[in-house]
Amino acid sequence: MIYILLSISCSVTVAVLLKLAKRYKIHILQAVMWNYMTAIILSYIFFRPDLKEIMGVPSTLSIAIGVLLPILFLILGASVRNIGIVKSDIAQRLSLFIPILASLYLFGENFSSLKIAGLIVGLVAIVLTLSRKSTVKTDTGSYIYPILVFIGFGLIDVMFKKLALDKSIPYTSALMVIFCISFIIAALILGYTVLIRKKKVELINFFCGIVLGCFNFGNILFYMKAHRAMASNPSTVFAAMNMGVIILGSIIGIILFKEKVSKLNYIGIAMALIAIILITLSQKYAV
């Protein structure tokens, strides 16, 4: 569980940095591109991957993840702009349904009654925790964004799980390949905004991208380590990550950003904690 805790901490830190970026008018796309460059450098420094493996033809799965990561980030940003952060966050967290179904039907995991109880409590917790009023007016067409967020985040979770199980290439080398592909995609998109839309490249975005990249690197690394360490229980990783991010993210939102929290939200946070306890206990006791 230590890998899950570390991944949760890094994930919430990334969310906090992105929220602060909006406040200080940081250009997100530029920061994201430098974030991937930082992740590439960190991968090489800490893992010293075999360059022959890196230069080889990447797997279809690595290419798909590398392309999807920056595009999914832009979709999430569009969703926030069109329907608000609350509904977008709900769509992202409810994407847990997809990897849970994959755990059952794709990875052949056996669900104990204790784990099923934990998942049910957890899904209710997600709805209650994220049940907040949104002042953003939306039209029917805007709901394509949260649908894409729901599908995209669900698929990326399943893809990372499959990549963690792939023994043909060390996951550290696979991570570096993914970061390289994501950097290229982000650079191409940024090139369009600079050349066509005349957006200026600013140095502050570079420094913000470095900080963002350090925590994003940790988030993905520990997430994959968790899947390798708990290979036979992918639903535990999926659920614990989502519940943990909700609990820690909510606490930080309340303390640092003075976010308004209703009684339902507090009940949801408590239920998320109970869900994590149940799912953790299911690792030790099969019921």
Side-chain angles (χ1 to χ4, degrees), residues 238-272:
F238 294 136
M241 267 297 297
N242 277 271
M243 297 302 104
V245 168
I246 286 175
I247 293 173
L248 184 58
S250 297
I251 292 173
I252 290 178
I254 294 169
I255 296 175
L256 293 184
F257 298 104
K258 309 300 180 183
E259 293 182 357
K260 294 181 179 180
V261 181
S262 67
K263 291 181 179 179
L264 282 179
N265 300 149
Y266 280 117
I267 293 173
I269 294 171
M271 289 184 69

Side-chain angles (χ1 to χ4, degrees), residues 35-111:
N35 140 77
Y36 288 125
M37 184 200 72
T38 303
I40 293 170
I41 295 173
L42 290 175
S43 297
Y44 183 76
I45 291 175
F46 285 100
F47 304 133
R48 298 290 180 180
D50 188 342
L51 292 181
K52 291 182 179 179
E53 293 176 337
I54 299 299
M55 297 304 292
V57 179
S59 67
T60 303
L61 186 59
S62 296
I63 295 174
I65 295 174
V67 172
L68 186 57
L69 280 176
I71 292 178
L72 187 56
F73 181 85
L74 294 178
I75 292 174
L76 180 60
S79 181
V80 171
R81 287 194 303 273
N82 283 274
I83 71 165
I85 191 170
V86 173
K87 294 176 182 177
S88 299
D89 204 13
I90 291 174
Q92 183 179 347
R93 295 305 161 203
L94 288 181
S95 67
L96 174 65
F97 276 110
I98 295 176
I100 291 299
L101 289 175
S103 298
L104 186 61
Y105 296 107
L106 184 61
F107 301 117
E109 180 182 354
N110 293 320
F111 283 24

Side-chain angles (χ1 to χ4, degrees), residues 119-136:
L119 292 173
I120 293 173
V121 172
L123 292 172
V124 175
I126 291 175
V127 177
L128 293 179
T129 305
L130 300 173
S131 177
R132 300 173 190 173
K133 294 181 179 180
S134 175
T135 58
V136 179

Side-chain angles (χ1 to χ4, degrees), residues 172-271:
T172 51
S173 299
L175 273 182
M176 190 167 179
V177 171
I178 289 171
F179 290 141
C180 288
I181 294 172
S182 295
F183 175 77
I184 292 171
I185 298 299
L188 289 174
I189 298 173
L190 180 60
Y192 167 79
T193 64
V194 172
L195 297 176
I196 306 300
R197 302 183 64 180
K198 308 301 181 183
K199 183 67 179 180
K200 293 182 179 180
V201 177
E202 299 174 331
L203 189 60
I204 184 63
N205 298 314
F206 170 73
F207 292 113
C208 291
I210 292 177
V211 177
L212 184 66
C214 291
F215 288 102
N216 195 31
F217 169 77
N219 175 32
I220 296 176
L221 172 65
F222 293 127
Y223 185 66
M224 290 191 67
K225 279 181 173 289
H227 271 303
R228 287 224 162 178
M230 306 172 73
S232 60
N233 290 280
S235 66
T236 298
V237 180
F238 294 136
M241 267 297 297
N242 277 271
M243 297 302 104
V245 168
I246 286 175
I247 293 173
L248 184 58
S250 297
I251 292 173
I252 290 178
I254 294 169
I255 296 175
L256 293 184
F257 298 104
K258 309 300 180 183
E259 293 182 357
K260 294 181 179 180
V261 181
S262 67
K263 291 181 179 179
L264 282 179
N265 300 149
Y266 280 117
I267 293 173
I269 294 171
M271 289 184 69

